[in-house]
């Protein structure tokens, strides 16, 4: 899977890893860091690490397998038993 993103002006100057976390909030950070370590993320065609700050309108290209972009399921509602009534 390949994803190409354009950095919007409001994200100018933020680190690449933070930008990815904002763009993919349901993907575990460990998976995003793994992509960065493997060189699967390019900014304007150049492999970059997570600490690199971004310019507005930069092109961020991400390549990775399906398993790396598996999003965490949204947590469902949790219920607690407050009081049990006698039957």
């Amino acid at each position: 899977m390949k994803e190409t993103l354009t950095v919007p002006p409001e994200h100018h100057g933020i680190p690449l890893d933070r930008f990815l976390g904002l763009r993919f909030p349901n993907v575990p950070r460990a998976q995003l860091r793994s992509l960065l370590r493997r060189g699967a993320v390019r900014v304007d065609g150049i492999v970059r690490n997570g600490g690199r700050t971004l310019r507005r309108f930069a092109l961020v290209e991400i390549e990775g397998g399906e398993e790396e972009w598996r999003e965490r399921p949204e947590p469902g509602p949790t219920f607690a038993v407050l009081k049990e009534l006698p039957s």
Side-chain angles (χ1 to χ4, degrees):
M1 174 178 147
K2 183 175 181 179
E3 179 98 23
T4 302
L5 309 167
T6 302
V7 178
E10 62 268 16
H11 290 140
H12 173 77
I14 70 169
L16 175 58
D17 55 351
R18 184 166 171 226
F19 173 73
L20 294 175
L22 291 171
R23 177 61 181 84
F24 302 103
N26 293 329
V27 175
R29 287 208 181 268
Q31 288 180 353
L32 295 175
R33 283 191 299 269
S34 172
L35 288 170
L36 291 165
R37 279 192 305 271
R38 286 189 305 111
V41 180
R42 295 175 180 264
V43 178
D44 292 330
I46 301 170
V47 174
R48 297 292 186 193
N49 65 18
R52 181 73 177 198
T53 58
L54 298 172
R55 295 183 338 267
R56 66 181 146 258
F57 306 117
L59 291 177
V60 178
E61 298 171 293
I62 308 151
E63 290 193 38
E66 189 76 28
E67 68 281 353
E68 290 166 294
W69 291 101
R70 189 176 317 133
E71 295 193 3
R72 289 182 286 209
E74 291 292 325
T78 57
F79 300 97
V81 177
L82 300 177
K83 183 177 180 181
E84 239 179 88
L85 299 176
S87 36

